[in-house]
Amino acid sequence: MKLYYQQFEGGVTNFGDCLNVWLWDQLIPDQLDDDERTAFVGIGTLLNDNLKRSTPNANRWVIFSSGVGYFDGPPLLRRTDHVYCVRGPLSAEAMGLDDSYAVTDGAALVRKVYKPSGIKKFKFAFMPHIEGIADEAWLSICDDLGFDYIDPRLPVEECLRRISEAEVLLAEAMHGAIVADALRVPWVPVVTTTNILSFKWSDWCGSIGLKFEPHWIAPMINRRKSGDVLQPLRTLRYQARRGLSMRDLRAVSRSAKPLLSSEVMIANRTDELEHRLAKFRADHAAGAFREMPVS
């Protein structure tokens, strides 16, 4: 059974996607290998009609906490596929599954394997979406504001440490918010573009009893122009855009009320994920995935 998750070309890494390797290697290391005939579909917005094209050799999908979104709708399940849980109520509805399958995003399981130091180094940290990276631009803004800047391309454990060391996370990266909530760091959802998929955020928020109401921050990248970060940094256009982004980031930090699911809710959701994972382990040990279906 081979782990399937979103991977970018050119070796670009993204925190939410790379959590798959880091997390499942600790929780189910003996259940995963390189046999592509069964795909373990884990953390990410992976339930769409691209799934079959992305796993051409898989005659079976084992779906655990994935979310619906992107491309042209959810995949068609086959009789050979196994669904243990999905990200939230919107994913369950889109897949035609009973509400009981809506648990929460599997990234919440980090609270079972990662222990924060308890040290807080920053009042605020900002974590953009992978497509909103502006490198030194956001870094310089955060430096001027006294915020930590968490690049989602950093190694998983560094992202985990820095999220846990913030008192509040301003998150455009959804898995930054998911992990913050799991580690009991209050978070504020922000967007720098209308391209952010609100469906996936609402799906996850619905699973933990919250509502997705993001705060707007002017972008440092013009997404209509690929790679536009307004170089060189000293141009007047760059300075104008930087000023707007900095103004908005500061304003949100001062006025937005941070979110955090209740302790009862996150404990319940995490325990349910563990229960579903134990069921998967038991099924695997009993040979449920040993006999390969004919495609």
Side-chain angles (χ1 to χ4, degrees), residues 14-20 22-23 110 114 153-161:
N14 180 39
F15 174 63
D17 302 308
C18 292
L19 268 173
N20 280 284
W22 184 86
L23 185 63
V110 298
Y114 181 79
R153 297 170 298 182
L154 290 170
V156 167
E157 290 203 3
E158 184 170 354
C159 287
L160 292 173
R161 175 181 60 79

Side-chain angles (χ1 to χ4, degrees), residues 227-239:
D228 169 36
V229 195
L230 289 182
Q231 299 290 359
L233 300 184
R234 289 179 293 276
T235 65
L236 291 177
R237 286 182 62 217
Y238 168 84
Q239 292 298 339

Side-chain angles (χ1 to χ4, degrees), residues 120-137:
K120 296 295 182 181
K121 294 185 177 180
F122 290 90
K123 174 67 176 178
F124 296 101
F126 171 57
M127 190 173 191
H129 186 272
I130 186 68
E131 293 183 3
I133 298 297
D135 295 319
E136 65 268 31

